[in-house]
Amino acid sequence: MSYKQKWETVPIRTEERVTEVAWFDNIIGGDTDYLGILDNGRRSNFEHCKEIALAADQLGFDNLLLPTAFTVGQEVLPFAAAIAPLMKNIKLLTAIRTGELHPPTLARTLANLDHLLKGRFAINIINSDLPGLIEDPALRYQRCAEVIEILKQAWTQDRIQFKGKLYEFDMSSDPVKPYQQNGGPLLYFGGTSEGSRDICARYCDVFLSWPETEESLYATLQDMSARAASYGRKIDFGLRIHVVVRETANEARAYAKKLVSKLDEKRALEIRSRGQDSRSFGVKRQDELRKNADEDGYIEDIVWTDIGKVFSGCGSGLVGSPEQIIEKLNRYQDMGFRAFVFSGFPLIEEANYFAKLVLPHLKNVSLSAYHHRIPSQTPVTPLTNAVLK
């Protein structure tokens, strides 16, 4: 198969050809105009990260990913709470690592954020080792599944009544009722391992992939759609990917070369190894992908892999003209992708390029609103206007 192949859309939740377009706020550090160079002027302090969020909100992105990692930068939940009152239109996709907070407290914290944002809120479930620990994967999967089940009970039932291998609760759910209805905030999830895929297929709403070849991405969509169907469910699919877009392809490729023009690979590896996910199976797959790239780092038409020399996790980006980027995104949508989380270096400058050259050509929606999670009027909850007990 080649990248020119026509794809048959796999069964997905959002059948209409719409797209949730998100930007990325690197609250965990790494915003720079030269890969491998830590930029003192763009460090992950509150002011700079706030400016990224404000720019994304004003430029028309529907979603903003706030990542989590035990690195120098902003802790995700306090940061989300601090910027929530400043956000006018955008949804905050807030990463949480299951196991870090007591599950009922986590449910309450997330519900409070949901109210602060009046439903413009979603959760990126992270299933990784807790900071400072190397854990048995089976334990992580069990913990992740139980936390998600508790969150769902907390948001949709009168009581949390749960008995698992790790947690057991029988308690009121009044303090944790979210603003969003019909199930509460959407759950996004990414993971390559068998255990991670099973959790997403059973519980989550959007499966997030990192860049790979079109053939590999399509195989993942087929696999995950079938897994979800085995549980009587459908899910949506999202792609987390970097982007460099300029008026012409030559300009875009020249800028990509500039980004790595000061790269010291030994220093880049040192920075990369700090990532919480640097040992994960998904990162190893990104490394394998990069080994098959051409001498300029491209594995497929406009997919550029050199970013992975510095950043664990999402290691590739689209590099091209607006026409090339839009054509590629259309092909991804043909497969079944309905959400994209973009980023670029530096974040504010590249958000402006993307918003000018690409965003107007996409049918941009919030999946939370599209699937009627966000009510049209204030819902009846203990934090709004329900009778207090």
Side-chain angles (χ1 to χ4, degrees), residues 213-283:
T213 63
E214 287 192 3
E215 289 83 357
S216 293
L217 287 173
Y218 186 61
T220 295
L221 267 64
Q222 290 177 306
D223 174 68
M224 287 302 302
S225 182
R227 288 175 190 254
S230 73
Y231 292 107
R233 307 182 68 238
K234 287 185 179 180
I235 59 175
D236 278 322
F237 294 95
L239 182 63
R240 165 78 186 101
I241 194 165
H242 303 283
V243 64
V244 175
V245 61
R246 293 295 187 271
E247 294 282 358
T248 69
N250 286 340
E251 288 177 276
R253 289 209 169 206
Y255 186 77
K257 284 187 176 181
K258 172 184 172 293
L259 279 176
V260 294
S261 62
K262 298 184 179 181
L263 183 66
D264 178 281
E265 299 214 7
K266 182 179 178 181
R267 173 61 170 155
L269 183 61
E270 178 187 321
I271 296 170
R272 184 175 178 272
S273 64
R274 297 173 184 172
Q276 192 74 19
D277 58 4
S278 61
R279 301 181 301 271
S280 74
F281 183 52
V283 170

Side-chain angles (χ1 to χ4, degrees), residues 123-233:
I123 298 155
N124 183 23
I125 298 286
I126 306 296
N127 171 42
S128 67
D129 296 337
L130 297 181
L133 301 179
I134 298 177
E135 298 182 294
D136 179 4
L139 168 65
R140 290 193 286 104
Y141 301 140
Q142 182 69 34
R143 182 175 63 208
C144 188
E146 291 193 16
V147 169
I148 293 173
E149 288 195 30
I150 293 164
L151 292 178
K152 286 178 175 286
Q153 282 195 17
W155 293 335
T156 62
Q157 299 179 184
D158 292 335
R159 295 186 65 79
I160 304 171
Q161 293 178 306
F162 180 82
K163 185 174 183 179
K165 294 181 179 178
L166 303 176
Y167 300 107
E168 183 174 349
F169 300 105
D170 186 354
M171 58 191 293
S172 169
S173 62
D174 277 1
V176 302
K177 290 305 176 197
Y179 188 93
Q180 290 181 71
Q181 304 298 293
N182 302 318
L186 292 178
L187 302 181
Y188 295 60
F189 189 95
T192 306
S193 68
E194 288 292 310
S196 292
R197 290 187 179 209
D198 181 68
I199 288 172
C200 184
R202 273 195 289 164
Y203 300 113
C204 297
D205 302 291
V206 181
F207 181 75
L208 285 174
S209 296
W210 288 334
E212 295 193 30
T213 63
E214 287 192 3
E215 289 83 357
S216 293
L217 287 173
Y218 186 61
T220 295
L221 267 64
Q222 290 177 306
D223 174 68
M224 287 302 302
S225 182
R227 288 175 190 254
S230 73
Y231 292 107
R233 307 182 68 238

